[in-house]
Amino acid sequence: MVIDQTALDVARDRAPESEVLGHLHDDVTSALTNAGMLRRWVAAEYGGEAASVTSVLQTIEDAARADGAAGWCVMIANTTALTSHRIRADWADTIYNDPTACTGGFGMPAGTGKLVDGGLEVTGQWAWGSGTDHCTWIGGGIRVVDQSGESTVTADGAFAPFVFFEPADVELLDTWHVSGLKGTASTDYAVTKAFVPEGRWADLLSGSPVIDSPLGRFPFFGALGAGVAACLIGLGERAIEEIIALSKKRSTGSKKGLAERATLQADLAKAVANVRQARSYLHSTTDAIWERSESGAPVSDDDRVEIRLAATAAAHRSVEAVDLCYHAAGSSAVYTTSPLQRVFRDAHVAITHGMVAPRTMEPLGRYLFGLPTNTSQF
């Protein structure tokens, strides 16, 4: 896929408005949808591109460089689209076989689904509903329970599936009052006794996809972590772009531009090295695992650990790059008119995501020490 530069330009131009609105400007949503950037990981069986992991990471990076909120929404839409490989064929066709389809939602089991005739009755509230205001279907992770409230499984064996709701069944709550990624509309959302028909869910914890494809075999949580990291790489690139644009500015009382200051030269070099190292490690890892997925070889626990390690490391190196550029800009970066301060705020919200947060390193280190480790969410 050739990236639609027009869509990226729209995202960049409308970024200040998206932030004020608290969601992507309609022009941005339309541009991303028309460019196919929100469904690159949809299975080919339902009209999707089923693109390689690394190529979609590049799409996320490009979108985040234009606007962090747009990049985040591209990431959420594509990672959720991976469920097209893990949901029953009839429902996957209903949800995804539409060129304007866009899905999103929060995967952790914050809701409960009671077994009823023909499906599940779901009640719950989820945080981080990124882009839910422009989604055609909205998902949420649940815990399956029986009529007495005890944990059980669905007929197909899922105990914590990711279920899909029609937007009319979902209440979007006004909770997204935050410091960064304001334009993502990552508000809380809730459903009350929403009926989910049999099979309208994906089992993200199962190692057996419905469609035996490279994307189906690729670790879901690894792709999610890599997507978050890609968003941060794009923000790192934008920060570098902005500090270079400021390079001709003269500091107070100096005849030299910022670019001539040795400390800033060193900071720029460190920032560029950080972002390039982050991308190289992340892309080389995803490329290697993708090759194994294409060959049909099983993805090992070593692979799952490696991609999560690469994603977390890439995310943190990218935030370091943003910080270097932000502080190098001096007082000019504190103004809301500066894209650099928005990048700084976006990056520090993005790095709190559970797939790349600092605590991610603990189970990874445990595994690397050879200790017994639960790798189901790697």
Side-chain angles (χ1 to χ4, degrees), residues 144-208:
V144 180
V145 298
D146 59 22
Q147 290 296 317
S148 63
E150 295 298 314
S151 294
T152 186
V153 298
T154 60
D156 57 4
F159 66 91
F162 183 77
V163 303
F164 283 95
F165 310 107
E166 297 187 54
D169 290 335
V170 180
E171 180 184 7
L172 302 182
L173 306 175
D174 185 19
T175 60
W176 192 240
H177 306 286
V178 289
S179 59
L181 293 177
K182 292 183 176 183
T184 63
S186 300
T187 192
D188 287 15
Y189 60 103
V191 300
T192 303
K193 295 184 176 180
F195 178 65
V196 176
E198 187 74 33
R200 202 171 75 191
W201 54 71
D203 187 354
L204 303 181
L205 298 177
S206 169
S208 302

Side-chain angles (χ1 to χ4, degrees), residues 316-336:
H316 286 269
R317 295 296 79 73
S318 298
V319 173
E320 289 173 7
V322 170
D323 288 353
L324 284 164
C325 295
Y326 177 82
H327 293 299
S331 59
S332 65
V334 305
Y335 290 90
T336 56

Side-chain angles (χ1 to χ4, degrees), residues 22-38:
H23 60 82
L24 294 184
H25 191 284
D26 288 347
D27 289 351
V28 179
T29 304
S30 295
L32 296 175
T33 299
N34 293 337
M37 294 172 66
L38 300 177

